[in-house]
Amino acid sequence: MLVLNCSTKLLTLEKMLKSCFPESLKVYGAVMNINRGNPFQKEVVLDSWPDFKAVITRRQREAEIDNLDHYTNAYAVFYKDVRAYQQLLEERDVINWDQVFQIQGLQSDLYDVSKVVANSKQLNIKLTSFKAVHFSPVSTLPDTSLLKGSSPQLTYLSVVDADLLNQTWSRGGNEQCLRYIANLISCFPSVCLRDDKGKPVSWAITDQFATMCHGYTLPEHRRKGYSRLVSLTLARKLQSRGFPSQGNVLDDNTVSISLLKSLHAQFLPCRFHRIILTPVTSSGQPHI
């Protein structure tokens, strides 16, 4: 195991990962954030350098942790040789197996290999698989003609909005998610539309892997073009900062899939896998 701390090497790694799209997108987004101030206190672990075969991004060991917070306790994985990934998993101190955590990646063997090691360490494992999406370059400002008068107003989210996002996110509704969302809002780009009272009615945020997530419009404000405006605005904001505009969507979310198709988003040939791992001896079970 090698922890890559050198800023020059991390910039080199970023360039190397870019040549491995789309499978490296999750790790690439995390490494980009590390190289731009590291607001989420991440670090990079590899099997070797510079000819690495597997790379994992993880939370820094000195960062504050909650062992039940699988949102924040998240690893991104990219490998050129799946055996090298398994060997990294099996090495001591690469993964904190005593906490609830998640592994993310865009490669087909990720789940099977993770499951083998997790079973040997007595962890329960849950897989959710998504269509992976990438937005084409947004060269012009999205059409804002639907915003008539002073409301709704196109702006960004504040940490005071975290409670609303926690209540409306299908993965939310708990203390860990509330804290996680507040941290995302503080650290990464977001877009929202606010009504005349300042309440968010439609929004999207960016996660620790530079992925567009939790795109949502309140039910009473749907079918007005708000989701389209918010999605394109956030994609353009990310692209203007040099980030890829990527996202994920469940196969049965037909409404979001239709929206993405209308935005000419590219559905990638690989799938996004999110694996949540829970120690069998864990006393508390988070909402997942």
Side-chain angles (χ1 to χ4, degrees), residues 14-250:
E14 181 180 317
K15 295 177 182 177
M16 295 167 74
L17 290 167
K18 192 172 184 177
S19 68
C20 300
F21 281 1
E23 288 84 1
S24 64
L25 268 169
K26 296 297 174 182
V27 173
Y28 178 78
V31 171
M32 281 196 76
N33 282 324
I34 291 171
N35 289 335
R36 287 153 184 79
N38 200 13
F40 229 72
Q41 296 178 276
K42 292 284 192 175
E43 64 184 9
V44 174
V45 178
L46 310 97
D47 63 320
S48 60
W49 179 261
D51 298 321
F52 70 90
K53 295 180 180 178
V55 55
I56 298 174
T57 64
R58 68 182 187 186
R59 187 86 161 163
Q60 290 177 337
R61 287 299 188 255
E62 59 269 27
E64 182 179 346
I65 64 168
D66 174 352
N67 282 335
L68 295 180
D69 180 7
H70 74 271
Y71 306 93
T72 303
N73 305 331
Y75 300 77
V77 172
F78 170 70
Y79 52 80
K80 298 177 182 178
D81 183 337
V82 70
R83 292 168 297 181
Y85 168 55
Q86 181 167 346
Q87 289 169 2
L88 262 187
L89 280 186
E90 293 172 341
E91 279 198 39
R92 184 178 179 183
D93 295 333
V94 173
I95 303 292
N96 183 350
W97 299 98
D98 295 324
Q99 60 183 198
V100 186
F101 65 95
Q102 64 173 288
I103 296 174
Q104 295 194 7
L106 292 161
Q107 291 169 285
S108 58
D109 291 326
L110 184 68
Y111 173 71
D112 289 338
V113 172
S114 302
K115 184 177 181 180
V116 167
V117 182
N119 286 344
S120 71
K121 297 181 179 295
Q122 295 188 309
L123 275 79
N124 293 322
I125 183 167
K126 177 183 177 181
L127 168 69
T128 309
S129 183
F130 305 75
K131 293 180 183 294
V133 181
H134 184 264
F135 282 83
S136 301
V138 182
S139 57
T140 59
L141 284 170
D143 182 12
T144 58
S145 61
L146 57 88
L147 306 181
K148 299 177 181 178
S150 59
S151 180
Q153 179 186 9
L154 185 63
T155 179
Y156 49 85
L157 290 162
S158 165
V159 291
V160 299
D161 303 315
D163 187 57
L164 174 62
L165 271 66
N166 185 37
Q167 294 174 34
T168 52
W169 200 6
S170 60
R171 296 179 56 211
N174 59 76
E175 177 186 344
Q176 287 84 10
C177 188
L178 175 62
R179 184 171 60 245
Y180 176 65
I181 290 172
N183 287 338
L184 293 184
I185 292 172
S186 298
C187 294
F188 305 119
S190 65
V191 172
C192 83
L193 288 169
R194 298 183 185 273
D195 63 16
D196 54 2
K197 296 181 180 178
K199 179 182 178 181
V201 299
S202 182
W203 60 82
I205 59 178
T206 312
D207 73 8
Q208 55 190 304
F209 307 110
T211 305
M212 297 167 61
C213 66
H214 193 13
Y216 190 86
T217 300
L218 296 178
E220 62 270 27
H221 292 276
R222 292 174 183 170
R223 304 186 67 84
K224 298 179 181 179
Y226 291 174
S227 294
R228 179 184 184 89
L229 176 59
V230 165
S231 297
L232 286 176
T233 303
L234 182 56
R236 190 173 191 271
K237 182 181 288 191
L238 288 169
Q239 292 169 7
S240 70
R241 300 182 184 190
F243 285 84
S245 47
Q246 54 170 317
N248 319 300
V249 61
L250 288 167

